[in-house]
Amino acid sequence: MQAWGQRALFWPEVGMLVIADLHLGKGDVFRRGGIPLPGGGTAGDLQRLGQLVEATAARRLMILGDVLHGALNREAPWLSTWDSWRARHATLSVEAVLGNHDRALDAERLGLHVHGEEHRQADLVFRHEPVASAEGHVLAGHVHPVRRVRAVGLSARLPVFWLSPDCSVLPAFSAFTGGFEVRPRPGDRLLACTGKTVIALPVAGRSNS
């Protein structure tokens, strides 16, 4: 499994791109709630996703829950943006497991296949919440893991892959998300996403300060 700095995993043997927490239409949900936000967030996320699909030649896309952020508003501008993206990648199998924000997910309308709350393939278990499974290594989202990175002239919270022996948590793919500052345990690894590559971060003996 390959980790990409654009917040995705790629499984070359089956041609599967894996992302978590796409949160389609999140800005629209906030705007309908009276919070003025600029548009274009979903378009930006889909542009990055399309670039990943093309760069990897992926045949399948697996979304680890929270495909949507709220109820499907059929008049929202982002929906036509999604339709155009889906048409450009018509041969791509788009699949998902359900997340806590997906109560109103209309799989047929969005052109995707939903596996339910969990999908198993080979020795991997795809689900939204990072709970260990006796069935295999879990790939999950939900947490939106981030880590503060300090270097010369730089202090930033970067999205990270949080890798543990029994469960790996992907960073939120959507750029319009908050983040949880992770506390890695012994044996864990963190890979920070720069947007172009991934950087292994030291974790032994470190705190979240």
Side-chain angles (χ1 to χ4, degrees):
M1 193 75 75
Q2 303 170 353
W4 285 61
Q6 297 90 337
R7 313 186 196 189
L9 294 178
F10 183 59
W11 188 1
E13 291 78 7
V14 298
M16 179 189 287
L17 192 65
V18 185
I19 65 170
D21 300 284
L22 184 56
H23 287 277
L24 290 170
K26 184 173 182 179
D28 178 65
V29 171
F30 278 71
R31 285 187 290 273
R32 285 188 285 120
I35 301 174
L37 291 173
T42 291
D45 290 339
L46 292 179
Q47 181 179 21
R48 288 189 295 118
L49 185 55
Q51 290 169 349
L52 276 167
V53 170
E54 293 169 3
T56 60
R59 302 184 301 275
R60 298 170 64 186
L61 170 66
M62 176 67 72
I63 306 172
L64 301 176
D66 285 359
V67 179
L68 300 180
H69 186 75
L72 181 61
N73 174 16
R74 295 176 182 274
E75 304 301 322
W78 73 262
L79 189 55
S80 62
T81 303
W82 168 262
D83 290 341
S84 297
W85 185 91
R86 194 70 188 92
R88 286 195 299 274
H89 304 282
T91 62
L92 180 71
S93 173
V94 182
E95 308 165 41
V97 291
L98 294 172
N100 54 295
H101 281 275
D102 292 326
R103 299 180 187 89
L105 183 62
D106 187 337
E108 182 177 1
R109 173 62 185 84
L110 295 176
L112 51 85
H113 174 75
V114 175
H115 291 283
E117 295 184 355
E118 183 175 288
H119 174 65
R120 293 193 295 272
Q121 183 167 346
D123 59 349
L124 295 176
V125 180
F126 301 89
R127 60 164 54 143
H128 182 59
E129 296 196 14
V131 179
S133 170
E135 302 295 331
H137 187 88
V138 171
L139 296 181
H142 185 58
V143 176
H144 304 183
V146 299
R147 184 74 164 176
R148 184 164 293 281
V149 177
R150 292 184 175 90
V152 177
L154 170 69
S155 179
R157 294 169 80 237
L158 295 179
V160 297
F161 293 96
W162 182 11
L163 311 178
S164 298
D166 56 1
C167 180
S168 296
V169 184
L170 278 67
F173 188 81
S174 174
F176 182 32
T177 56
F180 170 72
E181 189 92 10
V182 299
R183 294 182 179 273
R185 298 158 295 193
D188 290 355
R189 293 187 297 143
L190 297 179
L191 301 178
C193 299
T194 68
K196 294 182 178 180
T197 188
V198 292
I199 300 174
L201 300 180
V203 297
R206 296 300 182 95
S207 68
N208 288 325
S209 60

